[in-house]
Amino acid sequence: MSTGTAAMSVDPAVRPFHVDIADEAVAGLRRRIAAWRPPEREPVDDQSQGVQLATVQDLANYWATEYDWRCRSSRPVLTASTSISSTSAPSMRARCR
């Protein structure tokens, strides 16, 4: 039984993976989050039906007005990219706890 891996060409060079998002895209994301229409408030006062509406509204407000969407672009991340059969293959390093 063949897995087909012998036919793949793998670029051994692992390159840093950079995120470059236009300012207009970030501004558009903020606008869409700010325009979000929340559902009706849940009929219970606990989390038995999921996350409370107030928590989600606070999070959306934070994302729309305060969150630094650029923080990941400016700090190094444990992410890399390589090529497999002429296709870019990003990877992320995740540590087990």
Side-chain angles (χ1 to χ4, degrees):
M1 183 167 127
S2 173
T3 60
T5 56
M8 282 196 286
S9 62
V10 177
D11 179 357
V14 176
R15 302 168 301 280
F17 181 78
H18 300 282
V19 177
D20 186 24
I21 301 170
D23 290 338
E24 299 81 29
V26 173
L29 178 60
R30 287 187 186 277
R31 280 192 303 275
R32 289 190 305 277
I33 292 171
W36 170 67
R37 295 183 320 158
E40 292 180 13
R41 187 183 176 285
E42 58 280 341
V44 297
D45 291 329
D46 57 32
Q47 292 190 7
S48 63
Q49 294 184 339
V51 178
Q52 298 282 281
L53 177 59
T55 302
V56 176
Q57 287 175 312
D58 289 345
L59 182 60
N61 182 57
Y62 172 69
W63 282 346
T65 61
E66 299 176 43
Y67 182 71
D68 179 10
W69 291 97
R70 296 283 179 210
C71 69
R72 289 289 176 196
S73 315
S74 62
R75 94 163 68 135
V77 293
L78 299 173
T79 308
S81 177
T82 190
S83 294
I84 299 174
S85 297
S86 301
T87 302
S88 178
S91 63
M92 183 184 308
R93 178 178 166 201
R95 295 184 181 189
C96 297
R97 294 180 195 236

